[in-house]
Amino acid sequence: MRACDIIARKRDGLEHSREELEFFISGYVKGDIGDEQMAAWLMAVYFQGLNREETQILTDFMMHSGDIIDLSGIQGIVVDKHSTGGVGDKTTLVLAPLVASAGVPVAKLSGRGLGFTGGTIDKLEAIPGFQTSIPSEQFLNQVNEIGLAVAGQTASLVLADKKMYALRDITATVESIPLISSSIMSKKLASGANRIVLDVKFGSGAFMQNKEDAELLARTMVNIGNGLGRKTVAVLSSMEEPLGYAVGNALEVQEAIDTLQGHGPADFTELCLTLAGQMIYLGDKAASAEDGYKLAEELLKSGAAMKKFEQMVTAQGGSLKLAMAQAKYQYEVLASQSGVVQSITARDIGHASMLLGAGRETKASAIDLSAGIVLKKKVGDTVQQGEPLAVLYYNDAYAHRVQDAADELRQAYTIGHADAHKEPLIWKIISE
Ligand code: URA
């Protein structure tokens, strides 16, 4: 078998055999196949696609290209969740303790943020003392003792994806549904959970800008998960405007705590309850997703989910008694006209918060955990000229970018006189 012949087959729109995919992926991980040949194959896949079977086989080989986390020592059905990412997406901070308080074990490996989207690990590090890098034995013991642990992904998980993703990034081949699906699902499957709930977002602040692409991505990932023996459900949710009001690490942790205490934003609370309902059902702790939703509502109201969050923070060395880092300055961005907020381009809000230091421009950038934005108006709200649309939080190092961030924020808002058309937050749930 020659790598060149495999590339030619995909270039010509032919189907790969299992042996071809194994040869190509394992050859690339070992270094026998170079970046130039992988780049050519990725571009061929970008144009020709991969069918359902090829995508599943590719994911399987990618998943086995690094460590596989063994969660068999955990009692109960472990259910994992993955979000395709968005602006103000602090869902894991609420969802993990909420689901754990229903008796479903949560052993979650999360990532850091890049560009206009944030990452759970950065957010958790805004809690004083919180350790996101913990030895695997401690991670498993913690899940057995208190029902949940959230830690950073190990460097040796899915080695094929590390190399392939970096190459896709510089060869304009990221935007391919089979490649995105196999990249995400190989990491989820290698993380060891028995069942998986995917939060697939669409809209201006999401990876997938429109509903149709998001649905195709969701269906492809659900097929991979189910095809490889892990029951998988996808919730399609809107990311047209930021989720909740807070964007930025410590600010989002505070909003998550408010939500766990029962007074969070309506949209964010609704998403958490919907995802929790699915996870509790998949974890066999409710007879249906609707019953799971109701149970999650009770656990939020009773304070049980907040108690679980506190247990996790303590177990991972953090303290909620110590104050989180606070930004030195606040800047109110005022509305230049009166009316009704018609839309808020989530991507621009994410970018503005990055300008304030809350997000990374490159993988190597440092971030300011206290910086970010708190929106004062959401889609459908009435606003008077001169009223604050949002407050920017920042420190000296990023003070020179505040005007740019404020301009970007103002441009993200469209204010008009008609009633606003608000996209429903949850669009569809796909289970097969
Ligand atoms: N996130 C991933 O993990 N992989 C992709 O390909 C795209 C988004």
Side-chain angles (χ1 to χ4, degrees):
M1 214 177 291
R2 293 188 327 152
C4 179
D5 298 333
I6 295 175
I7 299 166
R9 280 179 65 76
K10 192 40 69 188
R11 180 200 64 197
D12 297 341
L14 301 173
E15 187 179 332
H16 286 315
S17 65
R18 171 173 279 275
E19 291 69 33
E20 284 170 358
L21 286 166
E22 180 172 25
F23 174 83
F24 205 76
I25 299 302
S26 67
Y28 182 57
V29 174
K30 280 188 277 179
D32 298 342
I33 291 174
D35 278 350
E36 62 290 341
Q37 287 189 306
M38 178 53 91
W41 182 78
L42 291 168
M43 190 57 87
V45 171
Y46 178 90
F47 283 113
Q48 299 290 358
L50 294 174
N51 67 23
R52 185 167 166 163
E53 209 187 334
E54 288 173 308
T55 310
Q56 191 173 306
I57 296 169
L58 170 66
T59 310
D60 204 3
F61 286 130
M62 287 176 69
M63 163 186 156
H64 287 98
S65 67
D67 289 351
I68 303 273
I69 311 280
D70 179 7
L71 299 181
S72 59
I74 294 175
Q75 295 120 33
I77 299 169
V78 182
V79 186
D80 200 357
K81 162 259 176 190
H82 176 81
S83 161
T84 56
V87 179
D89 186 2
K90 67 236 26 134
T91 310
T92 296
L93 304 183
V94 172
L95 193 58
L98 178 53
V99 169
S101 68
V104 179
V106 177
K108 182 138 185 52
L109 297 178
S110 290
R112 295 191 182 275
L114 184 62
F116 65 88
T117 62
T120 300
I121 292 304
D122 297 323
K123 292 171 206 197
L124 284 170
E125 286 178 354
I127 300 170
F130 196 98
Q131 298 302 313
T132 56
S133 172
I134 51 178
S136 55
E137 202 184 325
Q138 184 189 332
F139 180 78
L140 296 181
N141 287 343
Q142 187 180 313
V143 181
N144 275 330
E145 277 160 27
I146 65 162
L148 87 158
V150 182
Q153 272 162 13
T154 64
S156 42
L157 207 70
V158 191
L159 297 174
D161 184 62
K162 291 220 162 51
K163 287 182 80 180
M164 285 165 73
Y165 196 81
L167 197 55
R168 285 166 60 206
D169 216 18
I170 55 167
T171 56
T173 50
V174 169
E175 296 89 350
S176 150
I177 299 243
L179 294 179
I180 298 171
S181 306
S182 53
S183 163
I184 293 176
M185 289 304 288
S186 59
K187 286 176 284 198
K188 278 293 103 180
L189 295 165
S191 300
N194 306 102
R195 300 184 181 168
I196 300 163
V197 173
L198 302 166
D199 179 15
V200 180
K201 299 188 177 295
F202 57 87
S204 70
F207 205 62
M208 293 289 138
Q209 303 276 298
N210 64 58
K211 285 178 171 168
E212 293 68 31
D213 287 346
E215 178 167 356
L216 192 56
L217 177 66
R219 287 194 185 281
T220 308
M221 293 196 292
V222 167
N223 286 339
I224 294 173
N226 289 334
L228 292 173
R230 314 276 181 99
K231 192 158 177 36
T232 304
V233 171
V235 173
L236 283 145
S237 73
S238 171
M239 185 36 77
E240 285 297 355
E241 65 176 332
L243 192 57
Y245 291 87
V247 181
N249 300 286
L251 298 169
E252 290 187 46
V253 172
Q254 189 52 56
E255 191 165 71
I257 292 173
D258 293 346
T259 307
L260 284 163
Q261 290 174 334
H263 43 87
D267 59 347
F268 177 54
T269 305
E270 176 61 18
L271 181 67
C272 290
L273 291 172
T274 303
L275 293 168
Q278 294 292 337
M279 289 178 77
I280 293 170
Y281 169 53
L282 284 189
D284 280 358
K285 296 292 177 193
S288 65
E290 292 71 29
D291 285 355
Y293 183 105
K294 284 187 206 133
L295 177 57
E297 259 182 324
E298 284 164 24
L299 293 164
L300 210 51
K301 211 180 281 174
S302 70
M306 180 63 203
K307 202 159 155 221
K308 214 23 107 186
F309 181 73
E310 285 166 351
Q311 280 178 354
M312 175 182 75
V313 170
T314 306
Q316 292 186 229
S319 169
L320 294 176
K321 294 205 176 78
L322 300 173
M324 285 186 286
Q326 281 190 352
K328 197 164 158 192
Y329 308 109
Q330 296 182 17
Y331 179 101
E332 283 188 332
V333 182
L334 307 180
S336 52
Q337 67 176 103
S338 301
V340 175
V341 178
Q342 306 287 313
S343 65
I344 308 172
T345 312
R347 180 177 290 254
D348 294 344
I349 302 290
H351 191 259
S353 96
M354 193 183 77
L355 288 178
L356 299 171
R360 288 186 186 80
E361 277 171 271
T362 69
K363 267 190 188 159
S365 315
I367 54 171
D368 179 343
L369 293 172
S370 67
I373 297 172
V374 175
L375 305 181
K376 295 290 167 190
K377 298 287 175 187
K378 297 263 288 182
V379 173
D381 288 349
T382 302
V383 59
Q384 302 301 326
Q385 185 180 13
E387 246 193 304
L389 291 174
V391 180
L392 312 184
Y393 291 79
Y394 64 100
N395 290 303
D396 287 309
Y398 295 91
H400 61 289
R401 304 213 293 208
V402 167
Q403 283 311 324
D404 288 347
D407 288 347
E408 191 148 7
L409 189 127
R410 248 180 243 110
Q411 277 164 23
Y413 275 79
T414 304
I415 298 170
H417 293 290
D419 284 346
H421 165 72
K422 201 162 166 118
E423 197 55 71
L425 180 70
I426 311 291
W427 179 45
K428 257 186 198 182
I429 295 176
I430 292 171
S431 56
E432 48 195 77

